[in-house]
């Protein structure tokens, strides 16, 4: 029987919906490309995305202005990569940027609050009872993240075998809350949430944001159980395609989560 040692997170807010919906955005009739070139330009302390010199607007008709050059260039690259028709399903950075500008930038507090729930039910707290080789993989991928986070906040975490909820120490949760609150930029907060949603782990998301782990290492750590099951029972092309698409969302989020303090 396949084993999955992870707390299950239900749909939560606009960011979770954008993750779950992002891979079914293709429509029978996609809009035709109406521009020649996408570029970026300084605007309002950030970087605006322009199509033939005109600013791109979000679905809510707000100017698409990003806080740093790197994600702005990524959005422009997605627009430039479109063919005869514009397909939002191939534009994960643009989708996330639109979501943040329209639904989160004005008030990131609810998303920050939601992140605290992941601190209570993080994937890496829940370990397999058996087989031993799976447990060894979890230890190899997850224990270094726990050790890093422990050193970061000065408090320990409780691990448990199985999937029954375990309450983390109050002092640990308080320290995690302070860590989350240190992320004041709405784009970074939203990006952390998207990565936590995709991986089931706030600690893995923070490790990517603070460059403790590469995106690839964090993604591998998030899929230890799934990869084990695949090795035992075989894979599925459609499932792999969905996983690949989610990884593109993960990379898009990392562009915003890793914005340095000087927004360069």
């Amino acid at each position: 029987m396949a084993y999955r040692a992870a707390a299950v997170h239900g749909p939560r807010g606009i960011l979770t919906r954008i993750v779950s919906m992002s891979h079914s955005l293709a429509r029978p009739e996609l809009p035709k490309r109406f521009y020649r070139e996408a570029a970026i330009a300084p605007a309002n302390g950030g970087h605006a995305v322009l199509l033939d010199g005109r600013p791109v607007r979000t679905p809510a008709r707000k100017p698409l202005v990003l806080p740093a050059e790197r994600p702005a260039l990524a959005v422009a690259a997605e627009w430039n990569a479109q063919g005869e028709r514009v397909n939002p399903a191939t534009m994960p950075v643009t989708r996330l940027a639109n979501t943040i500008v329209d639904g989160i930038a004005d008030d990131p507090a609810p998303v920050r609050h939601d992140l605290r729930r992941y601190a209570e039910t993080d994937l890496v707290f829940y370990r397999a009872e058996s087989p031993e080789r799976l447990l060894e993989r979890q230890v190899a991928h997850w224990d270094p993240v726990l050790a890093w986070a422990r050193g970061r906040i000065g408090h320990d975490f409780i691990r448990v075998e199985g999937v029954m909820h375990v309450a983390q120490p109050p002092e640990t949760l308080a320290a995690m809350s302070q860590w989350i609150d240190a992320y004041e930029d709405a784009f970074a907060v939203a990006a952390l949430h998207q990565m936590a949603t995709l991986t089931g782990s706030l600690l893995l998301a923070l490790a990517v944001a603070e460059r403790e782990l590469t995106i690839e290492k964090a993604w591998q750590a998030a899929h230890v159980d799934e990869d084990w099951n695949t090795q035992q029972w075989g894979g599925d092309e459609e499932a792999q395609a969905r996983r690949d698409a989610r990884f593109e969302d993960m990379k898009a989020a990392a562009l915003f989560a890793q914005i340095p303090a000087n927004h360069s």
Side-chain angles (χ1 to χ4, degrees):
M1 182 176 180
Y3 182 88
R4 178 65 180 171
V8 177
H9 299 280
R12 296 173 177 170
I14 191 169
L15 266 177
T16 303
R17 291 198 299 273
I18 202 69
V19 170
S20 63
M21 293 171 60
S22 63
H23 312 308
S24 59
L25 289 175
R27 299 175 294 179
E29 186 69 16
L30 295 169
K32 289 185 178 181
R33 178 167 175 161
F34 54 89
Y35 57 93
R36 291 176 297 175
E37 183 182 25
I40 68 171
N44 300 326
H47 299 269
V49 181
L50 310 177
L51 300 180
D52 295 339
R54 297 180 179 181
V56 173
R57 292 188 177 274
T58 68
R61 306 304 299 163
K62 296 180 180 180
L64 186 57
V65 178
L66 307 180
E69 182 179 38
R70 193 161 68 109
L73 286 171
V75 170
E78 288 182 342
W79 284 93
N80 282 325
Q82 298 304 299
E84 182 181 348
R85 294 186 179 273
V86 178
N87 185 359
T90 65
M91 305 170 76
V93 186
T94 302
R95 291 197 312 268
L96 179 57
N98 284 336
T99 300
I100 297 170
V101 172
D102 282 349
I104 296 167
D106 290 340
D107 183 17
V111 176
R112 190 179 290 111
H113 174 74
D114 204 43
L115 279 172
R116 296 187 180 97
R117 300 184 187 182
Y118 282 95
E120 301 176 21
T121 58
D122 200 288
L123 166 75
V124 301
F125 301 155
Y126 297 88
R127 307 301 175 90
E129 299 173 3
S130 63
E132 186 66 25
R133 285 182 296 170
L134 173 56
L135 181 57
E136 290 173 354
R137 292 188 188 186
Q138 291 175 340
V139 168
H141 284 280
W142 297 352
D143 277 14
V145 177
L146 283 175
W148 167 74
R150 184 186 307 119
R152 182 71 165 70
I153 66 173
H155 297 283
D156 209 348
F157 301 90
I158 297 175
R159 295 174 297 176
V160 63
E161 291 184 353
V163 295
M164 294 298 293
H165 174 72
V166 58
Q168 296 298 316
E171 59 272 19
T172 297
L173 294 179
M176 288 297 299
S177 182
Q178 291 180 353
W179 193 356
I180 294 166
D181 289 344
Y183 283 80
E184 298 179 353
D185 182 271
F187 283 84
V189 172
L192 278 177
H193 191 284
Q194 177 146 305
M195 289 195 293
T197 300
L198 288 164
T199 62
S201 172
L202 173 60
L203 293 182
L204 289 177
L206 286 165
V208 171
E210 302 193 5
R211 294 177 170 80
E212 176 67 19
L213 287 180
T214 65
I215 305 169
E216 292 77 12
K217 289 289 187 182
W219 195 247
Q220 185 179 16
H223 292 83
V224 168
D225 297 345
E226 182 178 311
D227 289 341
W228 171 265
N229 289 334
T230 298
Q231 289 182 7
Q232 306 309 307
W233 311 106
D236 177 89
E237 289 186 6
E238 290 186 4
Q240 184 61 47
R242 290 193 296 271
R243 174 166 162 173
D244 291 344
R246 293 196 305 272
F247 187 48
E248 293 303 312
D249 288 335
M250 181 78 172
K251 291 189 288 185
L255 283 172
F256 294 107
Q258 293 180 332
I259 293 172
N262 62 3
H263 278 189
S264 61

